[in-house]
Amino acid sequence: RIHVVPNGVGDEAIAHTDPSPVTDQYGLTGKLVLGFVGFARDWHGVDRVLRWMTSPGGEAAVLLLVGEGPAAEALRTEAARLGVADRFIITGTVPHADVFGHIAAFDIALQPAVTPYASPLKLQEYMAQGRAILAPRQPNILETLTHGQNGWLFDPEAEGALAAGLDALAGDTSRRAQLGRAARQHVVGQDLTWTGNAQKVLAIAETLLTPVNKGS
């Protein structure tokens, strides 16, 4: 008697979005762009991504944080301490309609950490734009992503696992492209839009409202 309807995206998120206005604005052309969308808090673990950017695999990477949040100032301080401040961009809040152009500029879309009860909307938006996603392998994320198929998952309890995941994706353009294509196809194929979700809910309601055969 329980029906689960996954999160979705607006129809505008399904459209392929031109990233060039964002890449031009922030000078991202030709660079490996790591991206995070949201209201960054300490527990999101974005600081671990900054530390990876000092490693050999991350020395050419740029981190674009689309949003703001209570962790923003500490992240700026950490980026300066690590010597990567010139490769760390915080956009501040942007209109939701503009978020997709920013996501389209990502090479690797990040969910470094997540609470065990959340179903982050950013995942579906990353997927709709065909991005390669790096996220922790835990039950709520496994409801949306499958490792090696439509996302790249790491053990959140293992030391260095996030960095290893970043290494695996940063150095493999074809893997990123394959993951991104599969992620987008999952959203499109499952019709994970708000319109599609409404239709699913209506279909469930119709089955529940069907009169019970009193003779049975």
Side-chain angles (χ1 to χ4, degrees), residues 68-79 90:
E68 257 290 344
E73 195 55 43
L75 289 170
R76 289 187 182 95
T77 300
E78 180 69 356
I90 299 180

Side-chain angles (χ1 to χ4, degrees), residues 123-146:
L123 291 184
Q124 278 79 11
E125 294 183 343
Y126 291 165
M127 296 172 81
Q129 286 297 314
R131 301 301 88 198
I133 301 169
L134 181 65
R137 186 174 62 248
Q138 55 190 71
N140 50 335
I141 297 298
L142 289 168
E143 291 181 358
T144 301
L145 298 176
T146 301

